[in-house]
Amino acid sequence: MELDDSFLKGIGMKGGQIHMLMRKRNELLQLQEKAQQGKNSSSKAPDRTEARTEPVSSTDAAAQDKPSRGHRAAASSKKQGRRSSQLKHGDDEALELSNCRPFKSQDTCFKYVKDRVLAPESGVNDLIAPCHEYKSFATAAELNKNQLKSKFACEVIRFASACMNIRTNGTIHFGIMDSVEDKGYKHGQIVGIKVKERECYVDALDHIEKCFQENKQEIARKCIHPPVFVEVISKDSQDQRFVVEVDIEPTSSLVKNSFFEVCLPKYNEESQKVTLTKEKAIYQRLGAKSEPVKPNSLATFIQGIQDRDAQRERAELSSTEVHTEASQNLGRKLAILLNDGKSYMDDSLRYILVTNRCEKDNLTCINFLMRLNIFCVFDFDEHSNVSGLYSKYKEHHATRSYFLQDFSNESKTGNPPSQKHLCLFDQPSWVFCNGRSDFLGDEKPCDENTWIRTKKKYLKKAITRICDEILPKRSFIVLFLLLSPVQKPLVDTFQEFYTEMNGTEYIVCIAESKEIYGKWANLAQASCSIETLEQCSIVGMKLSHVDATIRAMLPSTAQPRHLPVSTRGLCTLPLLEEEKLFSLEILCADQCDDIKLDLLTEKEIQEIEQNFYKGRKIIWENFWLAEKRRCGEIIEREACKDASKLLDDILRGSGLNYSVAKLKVFHHPGSGGSTIARQVLWKRRKDLRCAVIKTSYSPATVCEHALAFRDYDEKEISHCLPVLLLIEDYDEDYLEELRNELMDAVATRKINSPRPYFILMCCRRSNDPERLCKASPLDTVAVTHKLTDSEKSLFRTKLEKLKQKDVKPEFILTFVLMCEEFNETYVRDFVGHILLDIDRSSRDTCLMRYVALLNFYVPNSYISLSHCEAFLGLGAYAERKLRAYDFKSHLSEQVRMIFIELRESTTYISSVRIIHCLVAKEILYQLSGNEPQSQLAMTLLQEKPLFENRFGREEFIKFIRDLFIRRDKRSRGDATDTLFSPFIEHVCKAEDCEKAIAVLKAAYELLGKDPFFAQQLARLHYKNEKFEDAEHWAGVAKARMPNDSYILDTEGQVYRKWFSFTVDKMTQEDSPQSITQKIEIALKAMKCFRAAQQAAKAEYDSMNNAGYFGEVEVGCRLLRFLSTLDVFHRNPQGEYSELVKYLITDYYIPKDIERTWTNLHSRLKGLRQNLYNALEWISEDLSYFQTDKNQEKDEEDERDEKEEQIYNPRKWLKRQSEVYAKFFISTSLKGDSNSALDTQLMRRMNIYKSGGGNVTNILSFLTDKKEARSAEKLENILSFYTENPLRDRLEDNDLINYILCHITLSCLAPGSAKLVSVQALRELSARFFKAKGPFPASAHFLLTLLYWPDEALDKEPNPDKDKILNSALQTMKRLYDIKMKDVPTRKKRIYTPFFLGKGYGLAKIVHKNKIDKLISGSLDEKRMKWLHGTVWNIAKIRDILKRVSGWTKDRDLFIRGHMKELPILPLHRDSVPPGNENVTFYLGFSFKGLVAFNIQVENNAAISRTQGI
């Protein structure tokens, strides 16, 4: 059958393997045809059998038939789809050629590979080159000893005598197919035979004495060499087979003037004995055959003996002449193998080293390995850590050591996608493939067979993962360094890499010893021919020469790198120390000076410059080349100068002294923000220690490395230089956690420094950088597309200079667009011009549209080069000669202009994106034609090559997920907040929601039925009033993730929206059944929200309070709905007495609904308590946090459009509390019952209706601009309480609210007649510390306010009051920790509602709002004054607040209470001075505890440290 791509793919072969196989097959077919022509001219007779001179018995014949049937069966199975490496090979297939064992060679390392073919049998050549004869010997090898010996001796003696008579060397091979009749095999095919006893073959030659004449027997013994057993290796078979070969060497000194007449042994079946042929015969070589000399030619043959002797003598004389082999140019070969013949190596390539034992002498010759960019090492030397290569390498590099099974599992840990293989890139991985002799654990070395059985599978797994998932094609070279005798595991490693990499294109072997290489090559030829191996191998070159040659080709010198030090000098930074700080990209004082500038051509320098101006991120080489005047200067924008000035201010200590300062750079995409940030670093690299943070690592790791970086090689760590750390495209939570880690770490040092320890330069993309700059002008720089007049001039001049260098504008598109300030019209026209003649149907244009779709809608998205190659059908099919493979050459000119190739700085993984998101937007619109974007996305989802490509798959899938479900948020720097992903919102707006639903469904199916896609489908359906479908998809999401609070909340939102929709559409004609259905929907919503509340409590990495807000929203809407029903008519006073009576009493049910609402009664009667619980939880929650972060200007417009964010939660809570109370108040109910419970309930509802009822509502009176009105309301609320609350015991929550009303009223109207004394309030609060029951945090918060030492009340020290304070503080801290869980630090910002004032009694409690009123400026300006601590410079504020004294001890802050010390929380740990100091500060009261503001060392203003909010 004919081999084709479809068949080979069907049997599981990879694309590259198919390509190589087909190409090799065509080459071999041509060789086979030529060989066949030569063979036909001198072939054996077609009817020739193995033993032509003896009869074959019927038994033997039957035995010989069996292999043929087996081969036909193999042929049949092949047609059924088996692999092409079966034993059967049809006539139309060509097998790989193999070389014969060198004549007389006893090399035990030489092997044959099963199913390869030897050159056809040959006749006499030059007498020295042996002629060859093949025997399959398959049947005879299975015979008994006597039969085997006679058969073997017969063939050897016949062939030997023929060679000796002709005076030619020869080799007869047993185990090589010779029968041209057997269509199952090729002539010369290596199959091998099973050798049970080698002695049988050796002893068989004892027949020499019987078959040769007596005077010729000794000569024959010397000419016929002993049998050589050559092992036949096979990847697919474990059977041990051999080719048995006998060499014949008739030297002239032995055979001169002699001819050899022999009789041949044969086995007699009847007598079962070996007999000799009756007539002797003289054999000769005729062509490829051994034939007897015919009687009529005998005389002539004998007369020619002298001529043949003379020919033999001349041939031997010629062969003994010394032929000096011309030495190979191995240096050039090494350069070609490692860097395609360039003068220097590509430093972006990574190396995988495979090696074995390195002797001590060789350790001085492997310095080049210290300079290579090694990814990992597969080391088969168990002593490597003690005396081998690893012991030397780790002196120069930080490494991670593994055993084989650990390394194979390293990359499949549960890390996030971005971190999955990260640790493998930062430090070389040293894999001990066969244990470690010095390891105390169980990993001991093992023998070959044990290794194959127990460890080979891990090797295969590791190599497959590296090649398929970690390192992209053409980004690495596998270097086999053979330093000692080779064993099978090392060969297995080669075979695995050869298979995974589809050949030897990126494999290099170096061996100084030819013997070591020979053994390795002979074993490796099972996968790859020896000729191919030789092409990729450097053999015989001294290791010291290899070392010097490679080091000369390195693109950089080995000169050390340096860092600035506090004494204004430099210190050396060894590579080993630098690699230990792997979470930092360190910028040295002499960065790039190690580059060999003379090796860079002008073209390469121009390419580096053009890459930047086309849109790639700037690299340090750009700055360095500009300084060296080898390329144009980098434009310095005004924002760069602004950032430098802000940095100088921070370093001078202007304003406040932070240990960790922040300098923020917000920039439009493509406006050069990253360039500006790196320009600042480059300019300060000689006087500050500078580095770029790799945000893939945890803040704790970065903090550890940053501290080590700061302290490195400094004598006094108190005088170290500040460290400037650049962090780009960060997450806000990450930044905050890092800052806190750094501040805590600095705080433990107990060192006071006039300058910051660290300066975090935070560079992030934003669609509105100017807004963010206005919000924090003292530490923020905005970079926009808008150019100043001076900048326009600089950009125009630069563009002209680039044009003078013959740089076409289309090759520096980003720079050209920046010159035009990314004007939309200009971008549209420019893109239109480029796309004018583009082939819209081509694959690369289609790829460009996909990339544009992702780039426009997903920030920082890209597609890996591997995905692009898979999509275009490239990569695996590349010709060998295209090693320096250029992806761009397969793209159209237009696509090349639009794409920019990026390379990740750590992993060197290449990817592509559109040069700018605005260009991506134009491509989408201009190439769409009539095709909507939903259809483009649908087509993208059907592109199997993209989704099945394993390399970089996780990043690609993440971008696809973001395309469909990532919403825009202003807090992340996006222009707006969106309900759905911008793409889905576009489809809904430009097309229709059905298209959006269809494409989301397709994505859901493709991406493993992701529950978050089901969640989005539910949201999209209910947004478009498709509630049944929304219910289905919410159920689907819930089924996949039943305990996710956000998904449960979405289910609740489905029913909430459904309920609101049905109520809004309600008419007078609605049936009782439909009313029941509406109530059922509302109750389902509340049940879902309660489930979300419980799930949120169990989630330790988030604080999701949406369930509580949702339950209150639905509950209040349900109350309003119930109040409209006829069955609950109002009384004459306008109250909902019937509804109240129904909801709060267990016994009362109106007859009209008694039966129809049977399933609802119990749930509706629990409505009041459920709402009360939710309102209380929300109130307590809001008490912890500052909630004024949202600006009033956009709140009202945006509130209705946002379902997840409540813009004014305090106001919302107050409004909902009033609604709640409205439907539970009825004066008529008081007359119906004397129950104290009902009376208390009515009082509580009246308090709610008046604006009280919980902590947050009460405190919100303090923010009312009309203080008199608020005071009046509070007095009204207090009137609802009993006159003697100490006697008439209030419930816990009522008592808390009662006390807090007095404190709040005291802040608003200190002279109010309703106020009671602090002493009375203390007596009321006694139960909070005397009773054992659990109390909410607000109760303990009140204790800290009431029992703080009062100059009027606490004249005598009282230790019991300290116990109360201490107990309250401890309980508040415990409750705070429970509430906060493991959420990011940024979300733990505590709200401090009260401060300690200068008065006494209730007058000493000052609310924060009173302080805010004394601060001038807008809300943003006020926040900045709190942030930077300038609020404490305002005299009026200092006049009303009391400054208290305390002390520090080991960076902890304390204050004396009534008698004992109490712990105080500094707002920032960074604000506590080092050492043991007396300090003063302002005291705040929060739900976390007592908080210190504006900490200053007492009586020492020179070194005072100030810290604001």
Side-chain angles (χ1 to χ4, degrees), residues 47-64:
D47 59 345
R48 179 167 177 256
T49 61
E50 277 186 347
R52 178 175 175 177
T53 56
E54 68 177 24
V56 179
S57 68
S58 59
T59 306
D60 291 342
Q64 282 188 333

Side-chain angles (χ1 to χ4, degrees), residues 842-845 847 867-874 887 890-891 945:
S842 67
R843 291 289 282 174
D844 56 349
T845 303
L847 175 65
H867 277 82
C868 297
E869 292 169 353
F871 180 76
L872 297 175
L874 305 175
F887 163 70
H890 295 273
L891 303 176

Side-chain angles (χ1 to χ4, degrees), residues 1095-1103 1377-1378 1380-1384:
K1097 289 178 182 177
E1099 293 170 347
Y1100 284 92
D1101 56 352
S1102 66
M1103 296 174 63
D1377 290 339
I1378 292 171
M1380 292 302 105
K1381 301 185 279 190
D1382 294 329
V1383 299

Side-chain angles (χ1 to χ4, degrees), residues 136-175:
S136 72
F137 217 59
T139 305
E142 302 296 328
L143 300 176
N144 62 42
K145 288 184 180 181
N146 287 335
Q147 288 177 307
L148 186 150
K149 287 180 181 179
S150 65
K151 184 76 169 172
F152 183 74
C154 175
E155 296 296 345
V156 170
I157 291 171
R158 181 167 55 83
F159 174 76
S161 65
C163 291
M164 293 162 70
N165 284 326
I166 298 300
R167 308 302 195 248
T168 181
N169 292 347
T171 303
I172 184 168
H173 310 254
F174 297 88

Side-chain angles (χ1 to χ4, degrees), residues 478-542:
V478 181
L479 181 61
F480 283 84
L481 192 58
L482 310 181
L483 302 172
S484 55
V486 173
Q487 291 186 312
K488 186 72 165 56
L490 196 70
V491 177
D492 288 338
T493 308
F494 168 79
Q495 291 172 343
E496 293 299 337
F497 273 115
Y498 179 80
T499 301
E500 291 296 333
M501 298 171 69
N502 300 330
T504 61
E505 185 181 354
Y506 277 76
I507 296 177
V508 177
C509 171
I510 296 176
E512 181 175 342
S513 166
K514 293 184 179 180
E515 290 75 19
I516 290 174
Y517 172 79
K519 180 178 179 180
W520 181 76
N522 280 314
L523 289 171
Q525 65 175 323
S527 297
C528 176
S529 71
I530 288 182
E531 291 78 13
T532 303
L533 285 171
E534 288 175 352
Q535 291 175 13
C536 68
S537 301
I538 303 295
V539 184
M541 190 175 186
K542 286 188 68 176

Side-chain angles (χ1 to χ4, degrees), residues 953-1082:
R953 184 175 187 273
E954 289 176 346
E955 290 78 8
F956 177 73
I957 294 299
K958 177 187 178 297
F959 294 141
I960 295 294
R961 290 183 85 258
D962 287 351
L963 177 68
F964 292 109
I965 64 177
R966 181 191 181 276
R967 305 188 221 178
D968 275 359
K969 290 186 178 179
R970 295 182 72 183
S971 60
R972 285 197 293 240
D974 297 319
T976 57
D977 292 314
T978 62
L979 282 177
F980 300 96
S981 77
F983 170 71
I984 293 298
E985 294 214 335
H986 166 82
V987 174
C988 289
K989 183 178 178 181
E991 301 173 40
D992 57 62
C993 76
E994 292 296 335
K995 296 284 182 63
I997 289 170
V999 76
L1000 265 179
K1001 283 182 180 178
Y1004 167 78
E1005 293 292 339
L1006 180 73
L1007 299 178
K1009 299 189 175 180
D1010 188 325
F1012 294 110
F1013 276 78
Q1015 180 191 28
Q1016 293 305 307
L1017 279 163
R1019 296 180 63 248
L1020 190 57
H1021 277 101
Y1022 76 62
K1023 179 74 166 51
N1024 290 280
E1025 300 176 352
K1026 299 174 180 290
F1027 298 107
E1028 289 84 357
D1029 290 332
E1031 181 183 31
H1032 164 75
W1033 284 107
V1036 169
K1038 180 180 174 181
R1040 300 296 294 265
M1041 294 185 72
N1043 299 315
D1044 186 275
S1045 66
Y1046 292 94
I1047 285 178
L1048 292 171
D1049 176 66
T1050 296
E1051 186 182 29
Q1053 295 292 346
V1054 170
Y1055 292 118
R1056 180 175 82 87
K1057 297 284 186 179
W1058 196 350
F1059 173 62
S1060 297
F1061 175 78
T1062 55
V1063 170
D1064 291 341
K1065 299 292 183 183
M1066 184 176 173
T1067 63
Q1068 293 293 331
E1069 288 76 27
D1070 274 21
S1071 65
Q1073 185 180 4
S1074 70
I1075 292 172
T1076 306
Q1077 289 174 348
K1078 291 177 177 61
I1079 298 172
E1080 188 69 52
I1081 291 171

